[in-house]
Amino acid sequence: MSNQKILITGATGATGSSAIEMLLELKIPVRAFVHKRDARSEQLSAQGVEVVQGDLSDFEAVSEALTGVTGAYFVYPIQVPGLLEATAFFAQAALEQGVGAIVNMSQASARRSAKSHAAQNHWIAERLLDRSGVPVTHLRPTLFSEWIMYMAGAIRDKKILPLAFGDARYAPVAGEDLGRVIAAILKNPAQHAGKTHPLYGPKELSQYQIADMLTQVLGNKITYIPMEIEAFKILLKELGFTPYFQQHMGYVCQDCLDGVFSGTNDMVKILTGREPLEMMDYIVKNEALFRAPVAEHQ
């Protein structure tokens, strides 16, 4: 596999950083595409990763980043619009540069009839990549374990988990597990070309159960507050999230209530050879992010 070289977009994010870690373990050279240079990108450089800076909305930067790579991971931030243009740029550049495989991060709610602009755009992005001529594998994960990070401030400061999921259940999947999936596919992409993999964590949970896990780990009672969707969208606005993200999250909540994100399978273990991370383990690993900082003695 010495002739392989992989481009990872979103290289400092939950899935990209994990994919890079796994690829380095596999001794596969990695080029990281980052939006800005910071401490995280410097850490990648220190690990022997080639770091290039650019924006997925810049066709020339994307084309240059894809030069000389055999496979690539494509992920676009869910908080902002622009997915379809970025996908078209990425697909065209990959075709011109002779890239042999793309792993595309989509989502479980991606479908033609989706009312979320982001979810429908993901479905259209899949179709664009399918027609690109570059072999592609689509990943459709349910909601990430990282989802509760949006509410980390409320957990820390108010001891509440405010979400509009009612009593719906889904099996949270951790970004680090998805990163291992990405690396495993890009190591041997041919057998996955043209496939769409639905990905789940090990166990379906309600937000009441997740709040109980937070309570157990933090030692403070964390209460799940089931909100109405419109009230939750107002909360997201107050927290500074973009209108695009607010619109998406409103329909994520409705899709969750309708069971779109429900279910589980053993695909993570099949693809990586490892059991996916339990939600409790994820909370324990990230415990500090849910705790209020302790005031230092003067």
Side-chain angles (χ1 to χ4, degrees):
M1 296 295 173
S2 59
N3 61 337
Q4 283 188 294
K5 187 167 194 174
I6 304 299
L7 177 75
I8 300 292
T9 64
T12 57
T15 59
S17 59
S18 174
I20 289 172
E21 184 179 335
M22 191 69 223
L23 288 165
L24 292 177
E25 284 184 26
L26 295 168
K27 310 296 185 189
I28 296 174
V30 178
R31 178 181 294 158
F33 191 70
V34 300
H35 187 64
K36 63 180 180 180
R37 291 188 180 271
D38 56 19
R40 296 173 302 174
S41 63
E42 292 306 314
Q43 176 67 26
L44 291 175
S45 293
Q47 292 174 280
V49 175
E50 178 190 354
V51 176
V52 295
Q53 183 180 1
D55 195 294
L56 289 169
S57 64
D58 181 340
F59 178 56
E60 293 304 330
V62 171
S63 183
E64 187 174 337
L66 284 165
T67 303
V69 303
T70 55
Y73 168 52
F74 176 71
V75 61
Y76 190 82
I78 197 68
Q79 291 88 354
V80 294
L83 171 63
L84 295 182
E85 181 178 69
T87 303
F89 286 170
F90 202 85
Q92 181 63 28
L95 185 63
E96 291 178 359
Q97 299 298 344
V99 175
I102 294 173
V103 173
N104 170 50
M105 180 57 72
S106 188
Q107 57 182 257
S109 58
R111 60 203 191 280
R112 192 185 191 284
S113 61
K115 291 184 173 140
S116 154
H117 299 324
Q120 188 181 65
N121 286 350
H122 268 295
W123 181 83
I124 297 171
E126 291 179 1
R127 307 291 73 78
L128 287 173
L129 289 166
D130 286 343
R131 292 196 298 272
S132 70
V134 181
V136 62
T137 306
H138 302 297
L139 305 184
R140 285 190 179 179
T142 188
L143 296 174
F144 285 27
S145 303
E146 283 80 357
W147 223 91
I148 60 170
M149 290 299 181
Y150 291 126
M151 296 301 133
I155 295 167
R156 278 195 309 268
D157 304 334
K158 300 180 181 178
K159 307 296 185 282
I160 59 172
L161 176 61
L163 290 168
F165 287 167
D167 194 27
R169 287 167 167 77
Y170 62 91
V173 62
E176 66 181 78
D177 286 318
L178 296 173
R180 285 192 283 269
V181 166
I182 292 156
I185 293 172
L186 287 170
K187 180 176 183 286
N188 294 299
Q191 60 188 299
H192 302 283
K195 293 183 179 178
T196 298
H197 292 312
L199 298 164
Y200 302 90
K203 185 179 180 182
E204 287 187 305
L205 300 167
S206 71
Q207 299 308 304
Y208 292 103
Q209 291 171 297
I210 292 173
D212 286 345
M213 291 177 181
L214 286 163
T215 297
Q216 189 175 334
V217 172
L218 299 175
N220 295 308
K221 175 64 178 173
I222 307 298
T223 303
Y224 169 48
I225 308 295
M227 303 181 70
E228 295 296 324
I229 291 174
E230 288 307 312
F232 181 61
K233 287 169 66 178
I234 291 171
L235 174 61
L236 291 174
K237 182 178 181 179
E238 291 171 351
L239 290 171
F241 290 106
T242 64
Y244 180 81
F245 187 70
Q246 295 165 38
Q247 195 270 352
H248 173 57
M249 287 296 110
Y251 285 110
V252 163
C253 293
Q254 188 59 57
D255 280 345
C256 195
L257 293 169
D258 293 341
V260 172
F261 293 98
S262 299
T264 189
N265 62 21
D266 56 358
M267 188 62 70
V268 170
K269 184 178 180 182
I270 290 170
L271 293 171
T272 68
R274 293 172 58 172
E275 295 285 354
L277 197 69
E278 297 271 356
M279 188 65 188
M280 176 64 91
D281 295 329
Y282 175 81
I283 292 170
V284 169
K285 287 183 76 167
N286 295 280
E287 177 182 350
L289 298 174
F290 302 114
R291 285 192 182 280
V294 178
E296 294 183 9
H297 295 294
Q298 297 300 317

